[in-house]
Every structure is written in C-alpha cells, then in structure tokens.
Amino acid sequence: MEKGSHSSSTTLARTKSDQLVETLAAAFKSARQSDQQTPPGTSESGGTLSRKSSKRVMMGASPRRSSGENNNTYIRKSRSAQMKLDLEELSSGAALSRASSASLGLSFSFTGFTVPPDEIADSKPFSDDDIPEDVEARTCKMKFQTEPTLPIYLKFTDVTYKVIIKGMTSCEERDILNGITGAVNPGEVLALMGPSGSGKTTLLNLLGGRLIQSTGGGSITYNDQPYSKFLKSRIGFVTQDDVLFPHLTVKETLMYAARLRLPKVLTRQQKEKRAVDVIYELGLERCQDTMIGGSFVRGVSGGERKRVCIDIAEVGKTVITTIHQPSSRLFHKFDKLILLGKGSLLYFGKASEAIVYFSSIGCSPLIAMNPAEFLLDLANGNLTDISVPSELEDKVQMENSETETGNGKPPPAVVHEYLVEAYESRVADTEKKKLMAPLPLDDELKSKVSSSKRQWGASWWQQYCILFCRGIKERKHDYFSWLRITQVLSTAIILGLLWWQSDSKTIRGRQDQAGLLFFIAVFWGFFPVFTAIFTFPQERAMLGKERAADMYRLSAYFLARTTSDLPLDLILPVLFLLVVYFMAELRLSASHFFLSMLTVFLCIVAAQGLGLAIGATLMDLKRATTLASVTVMTFMLAGGYFVKKVPVFISWIRYMSFNYHTYKLLLKVQYQDIMPTVNGIKTDSGLKEVGALVAMIFGYRFLAYLSLRKMQLHCEA
C-alpha cells in the first residue's frame, strides 16, 4: 500500500520537463520503429507510424499503476488521460515543439507526412469517455488537426562555404564549412552538434535556404531538386533570438501568423481555429491574452515567448536542429547526427551508433559520460577521460615531445586531424554511396518542389488588411503613451501662452503670428521625420523573418505599414491645434481652422515620407539620424522665415523643403482675404504648395519602397 502510494505520488509530481523528455522520447522512438514496418517501395523512414509502434509509445510514456486501493481510480484516470495525451501529441508533434522551446537553439522543419487518421483511430486503447487531461495542470487539451503535407527528402553533398574578411590593405578567405555530406528523410530528426564556431548555424542556414552558396560549393537538393522559391513557404525556421512584436498578445501573434501563412483553401474561421489549437498544443492557454513583451515591455516569460516562435513539427516532417549539449535521454532520441569540428565533418550517421563508431577508432569514454559531452570533448580535441587511440599515441611519441600537452595527451589540433582522417577513410565513402540510392518519389512530387511559383496564404488585399490591423494594434501603445501626449500638449500650452490672444490687425501682430505659423511648420515637420526613421530599421529582423517564409508580398507590407500610421499620427496634431489655435486667437472660422489642420496633415505625411526613405535607404539608426538632422536643419533654414532673399545658387533647396511649402500655405490660409502679401509671400490660392507637398508624399515613399525592394533582392541574391 505504501509502495503504491509513493509510486503514484512520485509519478504525479513529475515536472513538466520530465514529461517533455518522455513524450519526445516516445515520438522519436515510434518514428524509428516505423522504419521496420515500412511497406515496399518506400524509404527507410517514410514518415508513417505503425499501429504497433504507437502502442509502444503510449505504454512507455504512461505512469505506472498504484497498488493502493484509494489511489487506484485517480491513477487509472491519470494513466488513461496521459496515454491519450501522448497519442495526440504523437500525431501533432507537440513533443518536438515543446522540446525545442526548452532546449533546442536553432531549428527549422520541412513539411512532411501526418499520421493517417485510421492508424490513430485503430491504436486508441481507451473509450471516448476518457477525457484527455494534462496530468500536471489538470486541464483539458484540444485535439490538434492537420492536413497531409508534402514530404521533403533532403540531401547535401560536399557542402563548402567561405567568407571573405576584408582588412585595411588585404582580403582574406576563411573556410567555414569543408565538404559536409548528409541526408535526412521525412519523419526523421537530424541534430547538428559541435562546439562554438564549428559551422552549425552556417550549415543550418544553407540547408534552410537562408544563405545562398555564392561563396560555397557542393550540392543541396530537396526531393532531388535544387532550392526554389516554392520551398520558402514550406520551410519553418526558428531563430535563436525571439523576433516578435512586443505589444501584441500571444493569441494575436498566432492569429495573424495563421491568417497569413495557412493555405487559401481554409476559411478565416478555420485558420483562427488552427491558431487556437496551436495555443493549447503549446500549453500557452494561460497566457494567450498577455502581451509578448520585450526589453522595455513586461510580458510573457522567456520560455513562453520561445514557444510562440516555434512552428508545430508534425510526425513525418523533416526536422533539422542545432543543439549544443542535450541531456543523455534526449540525445538517444535523435535519428541522425552530424558532428562538426572547425568546419569539418567528424561524424554523420545514426545517433545511436555514434559512440560505437568512435570506440572503433580507439576513442572510448573511460568514465560514465553523457554521450553529448563525450562528443563535444572529441570535437574540441579534449581527450581527458577518453582513451587515446594507439595510432595517435605512436604518432605523438614519434614527434617532438613539445607537441604533447602537460597531461601527456595529444594537442587538440592533432586530435582534430586524426578524427577527420578517420571519418574520411572509414565512413565517408559508404555514406556517399547511400546518397546515390534513388528516392521513392514520383515525378509529380519532384515537379512541385522545383516549381518557381510561390504559394501565398492570402490574397494581396487580405494581406494588406491583416497587416494594417496588426500595425495599428502594435503601435497604438507607443503613439498614445503618456510621454508623447505630455510632450505634445505641453508644447501646445507653452505656445498658446506665448502667443496669447495675438493681434492680426497690426503689422507687429502679423509678424508675431508668422513666427508662430513657422514654428508649427517646423515642429510638425521635425517630429514625424525622427519618428518614421525608426520604422524599417527596427522592423528589419521581423521583415526578413516573415518575408523569408513568404508570409506576404513586400508591396502589401509597405502600403499597410505606411497607411496604418496615418490614423495614429493625425490624432495628436488635432489636440495640438485645438489648444494653440484658440489660445493664440488665429482666424476664428471653421473653414480657416480645418484648412490649417489639413495643411499640417500634409506636412506630417510628407515629413513621414522623408523619414521612411532615409531609414529604408540606410537601415542604420546612427547614420539615418545624422542624415535626417542635417536635412531637416537645411530645410528649416531655407524655409523662408530666417532668410527672405536666398542666393540663387542655393535657393533651389527651399523648393524641396516641406517646411517652406507648409509655412506658405499657413500664411495664405490666415491672410488670403486680408492682404495681398505677408513677409514677401503672395497670398494666392496655394495650389502650387499643395501640389509640391503631395509630390513629396508619394515621391519619398516610392524611394523608400525601392530601397526596401533593393534590400530584399540583395538578401535573396
């Protein structure tokens, strides 16, 4: 009785991380066991799960029963719920996604097969009366439904990559990857391991299509076809750093991603249902209405933020991940392993056979060690607590004694050379011959991968609407912060007090009002420029991430980004003018007030265009701020207030200045019917100034769009 109670309490008290590893273990184990039951004509890991392997997963991951009578019912229910939960997680890939959030650094997944529904139904050992519960949280979990997807067989042979380091007087080429060969099939997980600087991230970026082999060599094929733009939407890439909008909630973030990325054949309700399923699948239901947060915004925890970044990896997808030092239990669940050292391949093959291989070349652990720790020591050339191969011992003894380290072990460089030569002579040729075997694919699957036609999850108009709404929700917190509101209103009150009830009937009063109008033109020209400068440099990482996955067209993003700012940018100027206009007693009529407001609006939108163009062209905040400061100062000086008679050789600058045209328009609005000229400016209709501001609005934005397009083409070239 006591023993049973202790067993049940121990089982129920397991931490989430323990459940995570066990579930992951079951998922990976089933994927490997299915290899043995693959029908003829398919690959070694075809991506389907047998009924037998599914049952083994459930039995292996369920808690043990308690012999206690009082605990029997609860433990049986927990066991039933846990076993059903494991089956659902096996079909949806939650195990891998949760493990990624806990320990995987950089990973990306290729879409592949899903478990056939009849296989899942046949493998259910429990009745429908059992409620799937999370044993730790005791909350119901929703079933995650997915549609079959395209299988991807990835092969890469003799992949090399170099970078050019430019110095003051010379250029140097540095090898990052030296002839890396490997393969991974649907339903398999390939782990890339190695010390820092070994080339893991570079290889992952190459395989994911994030780097183009302009300075590299070798071949990378997907279903025997080269990389194409069609694959951009088929590859999910999880970066090491979280790239998310801090002011959006978890639910909003996943909703927008689902509406942009899921296929057009799904309705909006189906896409949103999928996003809700993902929330429950990742265990984020408790924080779904919490903002993501960031450096200056409090939000969800780091682990929850990482889970929001992860794409669901269903069983049957092709998964590649970099991982530094996993636990021993997690290591044994990987299907294949690549061990890198200084950009060279030290091992490629089944993860379960890695220790056997290194023992065969004389490198065996002398103490009980985590396999991952053992492999990293080898990749670093550290043979502490590892046997030294006889060939290496003889080689070191024949050389100068200075090549030995203080503990009698060979130096890391010698160890690295030995491991590279051993792999090349014993394993490399065999693995390359395996890659020559034909794939179980028909021409249709190959042609799909090689298609250059992109697949968008939404139409252009839908993309624009989604991004427009997302932009307003993300930036309304910044625009309506108390700091910005206080800044605008305090400036308006100070101006109203300085120009309190100014008189426009006298020459001195008109000169004073002209100074006020010029300050309004300068303030609402300066303020938007330095706000818009930060737009594209701050969103560059997000833009690159989402565009790399073909979530939307660049034109839809640009138009939504520039127009979603307008409703927000035009609210504070209204408050500003309501205070200044009536405190200074400018011309009190509805038409003159609204024309003055329209003039300020044109100035703001034109100034925004200049800021967007500078930011998109330079993509560097320091340089953009410097250039904007010089430009705005020049426009202000040439604005027609400080210098009435500008020399001819520099007078052309004033016609490019939105301050100049705004100032002239404000004067014409106030004094058009009163006097023919004010401060040397004719009070005509003002159509020229309006046309100039409209031209700036579209011209500056077109320049910004071309700069973004050039940046995108440069990144994809």
mmCIF file of all heavy atoms in Angstrom, residues 102-129:
data_model
loop_
_atom_site.group_PDB
_atom_site.id
_atom_site.type_symbol
_atom_site.label_atom_id
_atom_site.label_comp_id
_atom_site.label_asym_id
_atom_site.label_seq_id
_atom_site.Cartn_x
_atom_site.Cartn_y
_atom_site.Cartn_z
ATOM 1 N N ALA A 102 12.359 24.273 -24.985
ATOM 2 C CA ALA A 102 13.109 24.087 -23.751
ATOM 3 C C ALA A 102 14.601 24.026 -23.973
ATOM 4 O O ALA A 102 15.378 24.572 -23.201
ATOM 5 C CB ALA A 102 12.647 22.797 -23.067
ATOM 6 N N SER A 103 15.045 23.375 -25.040
ATOM 7 C CA SER A 103 16.482 23.149 -25.140
ATOM 8 C C SER A 103 17.065 23.333 -26.524
ATOM 9 O O SER A 103 18.260 23.444 -26.659
ATOM 10 C CB SER A 103 16.798 21.722 -24.676
ATOM 11 O OG SER A 103 16.118 20.787 -25.481
ATOM 12 N N LEU A 104 16.242 23.343 -27.571
ATOM 13 C CA LEU A 104 16.805 23.451 -28.905
ATOM 14 C C LEU A 104 17.075 24.908 -29.227
ATOM 15 O O LEU A 104 16.247 25.766 -28.972
ATOM 16 C CB LEU A 104 15.847 22.858 -29.948
ATOM 17 C CG LEU A 104 15.439 21.405 -29.694
ATOM 18 C CD1 LEU A 104 14.662 20.886 -30.874
ATOM 19 C CD2 LEU A 104 16.643 20.522 -29.436
ATOM 20 N N GLY A 105 18.238 25.159 -29.806
ATOM 21 C CA GLY A 105 18.597 26.539 -30.079
ATOM 22 C C GLY A 105 18.041 27.015 -31.402
ATOM 23 O O GLY A 105 17.077 27.743 -31.464
ATOM 24 N N LEU A 106 18.620 26.592 -32.501
ATOM 25 C CA LEU A 106 18.172 26.983 -33.834
ATOM 26 C C LEU A 106 17.601 25.758 -34.520
ATOM 27 O O LEU A 106 18.242 24.714 -34.546
ATOM 28 C CB LEU A 106 19.359 27.506 -34.642
ATOM 29 C CG LEU A 106 19.485 29.007 -34.789
ATOM 30 C CD1 LEU A 106 20.908 29.356 -35.176
ATOM 31 C CD2 LEU A 106 18.534 29.513 -35.853
ATOM 32 N N SER A 107 16.420 25.840 -35.073
ATOM 33 C CA SER A 107 15.859 24.677 -35.746
ATOM 34 C C SER A 107 14.943 25.127 -36.861
ATOM 35 O O SER A 107 14.392 26.209 -36.832
ATOM 36 C CB SER A 107 15.080 23.800 -34.758
ATOM 37 O OG SER A 107 13.977 24.507 -34.249
ATOM 38 N N PHE A 108 14.786 24.275 -37.876
ATOM 39 C CA PHE A 108 13.773 24.521 -38.873
ATOM 40 C C PHE A 108 13.242 23.181 -39.317
ATOM 41 O O PHE A 108 13.910 22.166 -39.230
ATOM 42 C CB PHE A 108 14.300 25.336 -40.068
ATOM 43 C CG PHE A 108 15.166 24.558 -41.005
ATOM 44 C CD1 PHE A 108 14.636 24.005 -42.151
ATOM 45 C CD2 PHE A 108 16.507 24.384 -40.739
ATOM 46 C CE1 PHE A 108 15.429 23.301 -43.027
ATOM 47 C CE2 PHE A 108 17.309 23.680 -41.614
ATOM 48 C CZ PHE A 108 16.769 23.137 -42.750
ATOM 49 N N SER A 109 11.990 23.168 -39.764
ATOM 50 C CA SER A 109 11.344 21.912 -40.126
ATOM 51 C C SER A 109 10.813 22.008 -41.544
ATOM 52 O O SER A 109 10.307 23.036 -41.970
ATOM 53 C CB SER A 109 10.189 21.605 -39.165
ATOM 54 O OG SER A 109 9.247 22.645 -39.192
ATOM 55 N N PHE A 110 10.943 20.900 -42.286
ATOM 56 C CA PHE A 110 10.366 20.804 -43.606
ATOM 57 C C PHE A 110 9.029 20.085 -43.468
ATOM 58 O O PHE A 110 8.915 19.114 -42.730
ATOM 59 C CB PHE A 110 11.268 19.997 -44.544
ATOM 60 C CG PHE A 110 12.565 20.662 -44.823
ATOM 61 C CD1 PHE A 110 13.696 20.345 -44.097
ATOM 62 C CD2 PHE A 110 12.649 21.637 -45.793
ATOM 63 C CE1 PHE A 110 14.889 20.961 -44.351
ATOM 64 C CE2 PHE A 110 13.845 22.254 -46.063
ATOM 65 C CZ PHE A 110 14.962 21.918 -45.338
ATOM 66 N N THR A 111 8.031 20.541 -44.185
ATOM 67 C CA THR A 111 6.732 19.910 -44.091
ATOM 68 C C THR A 111 6.793 18.509 -44.649
ATOM 69 O O THR A 111 7.446 18.242 -45.640
ATOM 70 C CB THR A 111 5.685 20.726 -44.864
ATOM 71 O OG1 THR A 111 6.188 20.970 -46.170
ATOM 72 C CG2 THR A 111 5.436 22.048 -44.169
ATOM 73 N N GLY A 112 6.066 17.598 -44.036
ATOM 74 C CA GLY A 112 6.105 16.207 -44.469
ATOM 75 C C GLY A 112 4.770 15.530 -44.247
ATOM 76 O O GLY A 112 3.718 16.135 -44.350
ATOM 77 N N PHE A 113 4.809 14.255 -43.898
ATOM 78 C CA PHE A 113 3.597 13.482 -43.740
ATOM 79 C C PHE A 113 2.950 13.745 -42.390
ATOM 80 O O PHE A 113 3.588 14.187 -41.450
ATOM 81 C CB PHE A 113 3.899 11.975 -43.831
ATOM 82 C CG PHE A 113 4.446 11.567 -45.155
ATOM 83 C CD1 PHE A 113 5.718 11.043 -45.262
ATOM 84 C CD2 PHE A 113 3.680 11.714 -46.295
ATOM 85 C CE1 PHE A 113 6.224 10.651 -46.482
ATOM 86 C CE2 PHE A 113 4.180 11.314 -47.523
ATOM 87 C CZ PHE A 113 5.452 10.785 -47.617
ATOM 88 N N THR A 114 1.665 13.392 -42.276
ATOM 89 C CA THR A 114 0.993 13.307 -40.989
ATOM 90 C C THR A 114 0.495 11.889 -40.810
ATOM 91 O O THR A 114 0.409 11.114 -41.762
ATOM 92 C CB THR A 114 -0.205 14.263 -40.909
ATOM 93 O OG1 THR A 114 -1.079 13.981 -42.002
ATOM 94 C CG2 THR A 114 0.247 15.714 -40.984
ATOM 95 N N VAL A 115 0.173 11.538 -39.584
ATOM 96 C CA VAL A 115 -0.271 10.180 -39.298
ATOM 97 C C VAL A 115 -1.644 9.955 -39.907
ATOM 98 O O VAL A 115 -2.537 10.792 -39.741
ATOM 99 C CB VAL A 115 -0.339 9.959 -37.775
ATOM 100 C CG1 VAL A 115 -0.698 8.511 -37.471
ATOM 101 C CG2 VAL A 115 1.003 10.291 -37.173
ATOM 102 N N PRO A 116 -1.868 8.865 -40.638
ATOM 103 C CA PRO A 116 -3.186 8.592 -41.208
ATOM 104 C C PRO A 116 -4.227 8.497 -40.112
ATOM 105 O O PRO A 116 -3.985 7.916 -39.056
ATOM 106 C CB PRO A 116 -2.995 7.239 -41.923
ATOM 107 C CG PRO A 116 -1.529 7.151 -42.175
ATOM 108 C CD PRO A 116 -0.877 7.866 -41.034
ATOM 109 N N PRO A 117 -5.433 9.062 -40.320
ATOM 110 C CA PRO A 117 -6.454 9.045 -39.276
ATOM 111 C C PRO A 117 -6.858 7.651 -38.854
ATOM 112 O O PRO A 117 -7.143 7.413 -37.686
ATOM 113 C CB PRO A 117 -7.626 9.799 -39.926
ATOM 114 C CG PRO A 117 -6.997 10.625 -41.007
ATOM 115 C CD PRO A 117 -5.827 9.834 -41.494
ATOM 116 N N ASP A 118 -6.880 6.695 -39.822
ATOM 117 C CA ASP A 118 -7.292 5.337 -39.442
ATOM 118 C C ASP A 118 -6.278 4.683 -38.528
ATOM 119 O O ASP A 118 -6.615 3.882 -37.667
ATOM 120 C CB ASP A 118 -7.518 4.489 -40.695
ATOM 121 C CG ASP A 118 -6.286 4.488 -41.590
ATOM 122 O OD1 ASP A 118 -5.417 5.356 -41.383
ATOM 123 O OD2 ASP A 118 -6.208 3.624 -42.467
ATOM 124 N N GLU A 119 -4.982 5.030 -38.707
ATOM 125 C CA GLU A 119 -3.963 4.473 -37.819
ATOM 126 C C GLU A 119 -4.164 4.980 -36.408
ATOM 127 O O GLU A 119 -4.026 4.245 -35.443
ATOM 128 C CB GLU A 119 -2.575 4.864 -38.322
ATOM 129 C CG GLU A 119 -2.214 4.314 -39.680
ATOM 130 C CD GLU A 119 -1.268 3.139 -39.570
ATOM 131 O OE1 GLU A 119 -0.970 2.708 -38.442
ATOM 132 O OE2 GLU A 119 -0.838 2.637 -40.597
ATOM 133 N N ILE A 120 -4.484 6.278 -36.288
ATOM 134 C CA ILE A 120 -4.701 6.832 -34.951
ATOM 135 C C ILE A 120 -5.935 6.224 -34.313
ATOM 136 O O ILE A 120 -5.949 5.867 -33.147
ATOM 137 C CB ILE A 120 -4.834 8.363 -35.042
ATOM 138 C CG1 ILE A 120 -3.547 8.967 -35.594
ATOM 139 C CG2 ILE A 120 -5.169 8.960 -33.702
ATOM 140 C CD1 ILE A 120 -3.608 10.459 -35.773
ATOM 141 N N ALA A 121 -6.984 6.076 -35.096
ATOM 142 C CA ALA A 121 -8.215 5.536 -34.543
ATOM 143 C C ALA A 121 -8.033 4.095 -34.091
ATOM 144 O O ALA A 121 -8.513 3.697 -33.025
ATOM 145 C CB ALA A 121 -9.336 5.637 -35.585
ATOM 146 N N ASP A 122 -7.325 3.304 -34.899
ATOM 147 C CA ASP A 122 -7.132 1.898 -34.551
ATOM 148 C C ASP A 122 -6.259 1.725 -33.330
ATOM 149 O O ASP A 122 -6.343 0.714 -32.639
ATOM 150 C CB ASP A 122 -6.510 1.155 -35.736
ATOM 151 C CG ASP A 122 -7.492 1.074 -36.896
ATOM 152 O OD1 ASP A 122 -8.695 1.317 -36.675
ATOM 153 O OD2 ASP A 122 -7.016 0.777 -38.007
ATOM 154 N N SER A 123 -5.385 2.667 -33.059
ATOM 155 C CA SER A 123 -4.439 2.493 -31.962
ATOM 156 C C SER A 123 -4.966 3.020 -30.643
ATOM 157 O O SER A 123 -4.246 3.020 -29.665
ATOM 158 C CB SER A 123 -3.125 3.215 -32.292
ATOM 159 O OG SER A 123 -3.366 4.583 -32.488
ATOM 160 N N LYS A 124 -6.216 3.522 -30.589
ATOM 161 C CA LYS A 124 -6.764 4.031 -29.342
ATOM 162 C C LYS A 124 -7.159 2.864 -28.439
ATOM 163 O O LYS A 124 -8.046 2.098 -28.772
ATOM 164 C CB LYS A 124 -8.007 4.891 -29.610
ATOM 165 C CG LYS A 124 -7.671 6.303 -30.064
ATOM 166 C CD LYS A 124 -8.937 7.130 -30.090
ATOM 167 C CE LYS A 124 -8.624 8.564 -30.434
ATOM 168 N NZ LYS A 124 -9.841 9.398 -30.460
ATOM 169 N N PRO A 125 -6.545 2.700 -27.276
ATOM 170 C CA PRO A 125 -6.896 1.596 -26.398
ATOM 171 C C PRO A 125 -7.978 1.970 -25.401
ATOM 172 O O PRO A 125 -8.379 1.143 -24.601
ATOM 173 C CB PRO A 125 -5.574 1.314 -25.680
ATOM 174 C CG PRO A 125 -4.925 2.657 -25.599
ATOM 175 C CD PRO A 125 -5.369 3.431 -26.794
ATOM 176 N N PHE A 126 -8.440 3.206 -25.418
ATOM 177 C CA PHE A 126 -9.395 3.647 -24.421
ATOM 178 C C PHE A 126 -10.674 4.120 -25.092
ATOM 179 O O PHE A 126 -10.700 4.431 -26.275
ATOM 180 C CB PHE A 126 -8.811 4.791 -23.575
ATOM 181 C CG PHE A 126 -7.574 4.387 -22.860
ATOM 182 C CD1 PHE A 126 -6.349 4.871 -23.286
ATOM 183 C CD2 PHE A 126 -7.609 3.511 -21.803
ATOM 184 C CE1 PHE A 126 -5.195 4.504 -22.646
ATOM 185 C CE2 PHE A 126 -6.460 3.136 -21.158
ATOM 186 C CZ PHE A 126 -5.244 3.626 -21.572
ATOM 187 N N SER A 127 -11.734 4.209 -24.300
ATOM 188 C CA SER A 127 -13.018 4.653 -24.826
ATOM 189 C C SER A 127 -13.061 6.158 -24.939
ATOM 190 O O SER A 127 -12.224 6.868 -24.394
ATOM 191 C CB SER A 127 -14.140 4.173 -23.889
ATOM 192 O OG SER A 127 -14.032 4.833 -22.631
ATOM 193 N N ASP A 128 -14.096 6.645 -25.619
ATOM 194 C CA ASP A 128 -14.235 8.086 -25.797
ATOM 195 C C ASP A 128 -14.673 8.775 -24.516
ATOM 196 O O ASP A 128 -14.703 10.002 -24.451
ATOM 197 C CB ASP A 128 -15.247 8.384 -26.906
ATOM 198 C CG ASP A 128 -14.736 7.917 -28.243
ATOM 199 O OD1 ASP A 128 -13.500 7.851 -28.409
ATOM 200 O OD2 ASP A 128 -15.570 7.622 -29.112
ATOM 201 N N ASP A 129 -15.036 8.018 -23.517
ATOM 202 C CA ASP A 129 -15.442 8.621 -22.253
ATOM 203 C C ASP A 129 -14.271 9.197 -21.495
ATOM 204 O O ASP A 129 -14.437 10.034 -20.611
ATOM 205 C CB ASP A 129 -16.156 7.588 -21.368
ATOM 206 C CG ASP A 129 -17.449 7.117 -22.027
ATOM 207 O OD1 ASP A 129 -18.009 7.911 -22.821
ATOM 208 O OD2 ASP A 129 -17.886 5.996 -21.734
#
